[in-house]
Amino acid sequence: MAESRPPAARREDDVRARDVACAVAVLEAADEGPTGIGIFTDEDLLALDGLSQEQVVPLPWMTENEDSVSTEIAASVALRSLIARRLVIPAELLTDSFEQIEGNARRMYAVDPVQGILTLRHSAEALSTFQRVVEGGVHTIVHYLFDEGRALEEEITADGYHHFAVMPVAAVPERLLVLIDQDDVAGADGEPFSLASSAIPTDPALDAMLSDTRALTVGSLIRRDGTMEQYTFYATSERLLAACADVPDGVDPADVDDPVMTFVEVSDETAQRMVGLLLDSAMPAEAGDGSGNGSA
């Protein structure tokens, strides 16, 4: 039976099928352990995604230079570089069928591994973002979480380079611990204590500890249904504190007036386990663990 759909619809299906195939091929490499798969700039991602695509991650170089460099020009220059590096190529090099490209041989496409990264960035089951804030800038690590215990990592440096890797979800907590406790200040686990956010400045002992913070790391998990959870880690000169808001599951602490905060001094092992449990909460039980050792 002859294909009755218009050529444009057939081409859209072909493009979608290629996107999925590219994503699967990239993600399968996660089973071999953490594997680097590419480095791109802020401008590269704008060019690859298109200016109309909303970016859910920071673009620090573009933000810092927004007054002197237009988004359009930056993306245009980046696209020229991507073409020169043969990371973006004409459609005619992807297929032998002139019909499949509707006679437009100069249509540009990202090569398969790059297209796989782009597809994965917009199709995750859940998204975790950990941002380390120090006086010199912000360092961000994003993990796009998928079924079967796999993740795409996007590490964003303060100067706008995006380092991509794939890995098992179980490898993520250890990698994030390096961000959370970069100076290895964590000691033993302490006893948790709680107080209202508004009372923090009036608690001398806690206020003194928080004032000694050398690096602040905020970790957030956003699920596909829009619910979220968040931890905050304070690396001081001599300890690592973890904090979370006592709010109903899935509620953004920012939406609660004066939430009660729970603080506790944690060891590296406990911090890593907290991250693992956070990741585990986003995925089906059968999808593999994030080394949180279950829900207990």
Side-chain angles (χ1 to χ4, degrees), residues 19-285:
D19 290 351
V20 172
C22 291
V24 169
V26 168
L27 200 55
E28 283 179 343
D31 297 340
E32 302 172 9
T35 304
I37 54 175
I39 304 173
F40 299 93
T41 64
D42 289 354
E43 315 92 280
D44 288 339
L45 293 177
L46 288 173
L48 288 164
D49 267 338
L51 297 181
S52 62
Q53 175 67 57
E54 180 182 2
Q55 296 293 326
V56 299
V57 302
L59 302 176
W61 188 88
M62 288 300 306
T63 299
E64 183 179 348
N65 294 279
E66 60 185 353
D67 291 336
S68 56
V69 180
S70 79
T71 301
E72 293 78 7
I73 291 176
S76 178
V77 172
L79 180 59
R80 288 170 52 82
S81 173
L82 290 164
I83 293 170
R85 288 144 59 194
R86 297 187 67 79
L87 297 177
V88 170
I89 59 177
E92 60 185 339
L93 298 183
L94 288 175
T95 177
D96 296 326
S97 170
F98 196 62
E99 242 177 56
Q100 280 186 309
I101 57 178
E102 297 180 331
N104 186 358
R106 302 307 298 172
R107 184 187 296 273
M108 306 302 291
Y109 286 95
V111 296
D112 288 2
V114 176
Q115 185 56 54
I117 293 172
L118 298 178
T119 301
L120 292 172
R121 290 177 83 234
H122 301 295
S123 57
E125 294 297 321
L127 181 77
S128 78
T129 302
F130 279 71
Q131 286 193 311
R132 184 176 190 267
V133 182
V134 295
E135 189 173 347
V138 179
H139 195 115
T140 304
I141 300 182
V142 178
H143 287 97
Y144 305 86
L145 307 176
F146 298 88
D147 292 340
E148 301 181 1
R150 295 164 171 168
L152 171 71
E153 179 180 272
E154 181 174 354
E155 182 174 3
I156 307 163
T157 62
D159 49 0
Y161 287 92
H162 300 244
H163 300 250
F164 288 93
V166 289
M167 65 199 63
V169 173
V172 172
E174 184 176 358
R175 294 173 74 89
L176 288 176
L177 182 62
V178 176
L179 187 78
I180 292 167
D181 189 18
Q182 197 167 100
D183 296 324
D184 197 23
V185 297
D189 293 325
E191 292 296 324
F193 57 95
S194 301
L195 71 169
S197 297
S198 60
I200 293 174
T202 65
D203 185 299
L206 178 60
D207 188 53
M209 282 191 286
L210 297 184
S211 297
D212 185 40
T213 298
R214 308 302 171 88
L216 175 72
T217 303
V218 179
S220 302
L221 176 77
I222 303 176
R223 303 178 183 86
R224 185 177 285 276
D225 63 7
T227 58
M228 71 170 295
E229 291 186 47
Q230 187 174 90
Y231 289 138
T232 303
F233 295 92
Y234 302 84
T236 73
S237 60
E238 56 186 24
R239 58 174 56 88
L240 180 65
L241 286 174
C244 65
D246 295 335
V247 298
D249 289 346
V251 174
D252 187 340
D255 295 333
V256 179
D257 290 333
D258 199 19
V260 173
M261 300 293 297
T262 296
F263 292 84
V264 62
E265 184 174 350
V266 294
S267 63
D268 277 343
E269 293 78 10
T270 297
Q272 188 169 321
R273 183 168 180 268
M274 290 173 66
V275 174
L277 288 170
L278 183 67
L279 300 176
D280 283 348
S281 73
M283 307 302 295

